[in-house]
Amino acid sequence: MNVLIACEESQAVCKEFRKLGINAFSCDILPSSGGHPEWHFKEDVFKIINSKGGITENCDKVKVKKWDLMIAHPPCTYLSVSGARWFYHPDDKDLPVEQRRPHPRFPNRASDREDALDFFIKLLEAPIDMIAVENPVGIVSTRYRKPDQTVHPWMFGDEASKTTCLWLKNLPPLESTNIVGKGERVVLSSGRSLPKWYSDSFNTKISTEQRRTLRSKTFEGFAKAIAAQWSKF
């Protein structure tokens, strides 16, 4: 079985497949941070799909007969509901959507969202037999189709809440492996409640890149379930 993990520099899911003896590779435009450059394509994912392989980060040439399974984690910056407030001018919040001006700090946010949605759909419709694409709650549900499944880390042994939607092609929904507590939450000064692991990502003492990494974290139990269950198909 040849497995491609798209948009994954951490190699969290890739390594779980590798532990099972499966020929898995991660792919991202960013360099790998998972410690295995020999399993990572620092390249456009569609080039790796169409070419059935490529040159890994440590310059190994990889060629597969076909990609049997792809797990994709496309960026959610422009797709998730949590970023919706950055689309429109804050002074226009009481106006109909069609009358609102772009946000002064992010004037191209709308076009960026369209590009992100196109990328998401291309991943799910790629010429690979089995595909799973994950993202948080966002516009994909209304602009494309609803997810096939919604999961949380606490369903797979990690005490944390993180709503993760899964869009599936020729794959069954994941089965819970170890249901535990939903994890600690933090109440902000605004009264809003957030999972502690997520609130930690707003720490201004760490870099923007570190905060982004925290928010996009793939929990270990979830990664193990993906590899163990979907490798059977």
Side-chain angles (χ1 to χ4, degrees):
M1 182 182 236
N2 299 305
V3 179
L4 183 62
I5 317 298
C7 314
E8 185 192 56
E9 52 79 25
S10 71
Q11 300 187 298
V13 176
C14 180
K15 286 190 281 191
E16 294 302 329
F17 275 101
R18 284 281 176 169
K19 289 176 185 177
L20 299 176
I22 292 169
N23 196 39
F25 294 87
S26 56
C27 179
D28 205 312
I29 57 173
L30 297 173
S32 63
S33 64
H36 290 280
E38 71 275 18
W39 302 339
H40 185 71
F41 299 113
K42 185 177 176 292
E43 184 61 85
D44 178 279
V45 64
F46 295 111
K47 181 177 179 179
I48 299 303
I49 292 172
N50 295 332
S51 301
K52 297 182 175 64
I55 306 298
T56 64
E57 200 174 11
N58 72 334
C59 299
D60 287 342
K61 185 175 182 179
V62 173
K63 191 73 173 178
V64 299
K65 185 176 180 180
K66 70 170 185 173
W67 293 112
D68 300 292
L69 167 65
M70 178 171 70
I71 313 297
H73 311 274
C76 63
T77 304
Y78 304 114
L79 299 176
S80 68
V81 293
S82 61
R85 63 195 176 108
W86 301 112
F87 280 94
Y88 303 110
H89 199 294
D91 294 342
D92 297 347
K93 61 182 179 180
D94 295 323
L95 295 175
V97 171
E98 62 274 10
Q99 295 180 22
R100 297 179 190 177
R101 296 166 292 173
H103 197 287
R105 288 176 56 192
F106 307 102
N108 300 318
R109 193 94 175 181
S111 61
D112 290 338
R113 177 173 60 184
E114 296 306 308
D115 291 341
L117 183 61
D118 287 345
F119 181 68
F120 181 102
I121 294 171
K122 281 183 67 178
L123 284 170
L124 193 55
E125 296 182 350
I128 296 175
D129 291 343
M130 297 175 288
I131 298 175
V133 184
E134 67 90 14
N135 233 236
V137 176
I139 68 159
V140 176
S141 297
T142 54
R143 292 285 303 277
Y144 182 55
R145 70 172 175 84
K146 294 185 181 301
D148 298 284
Q149 184 181 21
T150 301
V151 297
H152 285 274
W154 53 261
M155 299 167 65
F156 308 101
D158 291 297
E159 292 197 357
S161 296
K162 182 184 182 184
T163 306
T164 303
C165 301
L166 297 171
W167 286 260
L168 308 176
K169 174 184 175 183
N170 296 327
L171 286 170
L174 288 175
E175 295 181 3
S176 301
T177 56
N178 180 23
I179 295 179
V180 294
K182 297 184 179 181
E184 184 180 352
R185 297 187 71 87
V186 174
V187 178
L188 306 181
S189 57
S190 63
R192 184 185 178 194
S193 171
L194 295 175
K196 185 180 184 305
W197 72 266
Y198 188 77
S199 69
D200 289 345
S201 70
F202 293 98
N203 184 353
T204 56
K205 294 181 180 180
I206 60 177
S207 68
T208 300
E209 187 58 38
Q210 288 174 311
R211 293 196 294 271
R212 185 180 297 115
T213 299
L214 276 173
R215 287 193 289 270
S216 62
K217 174 183 178 179
T218 299
F219 286 84
E220 183 179 5
F222 179 46
K224 286 182 180 295
I226 287 174
Q229 295 183 37
W230 285 338
S231 62
K232 296 177 182 178
F233 295 89

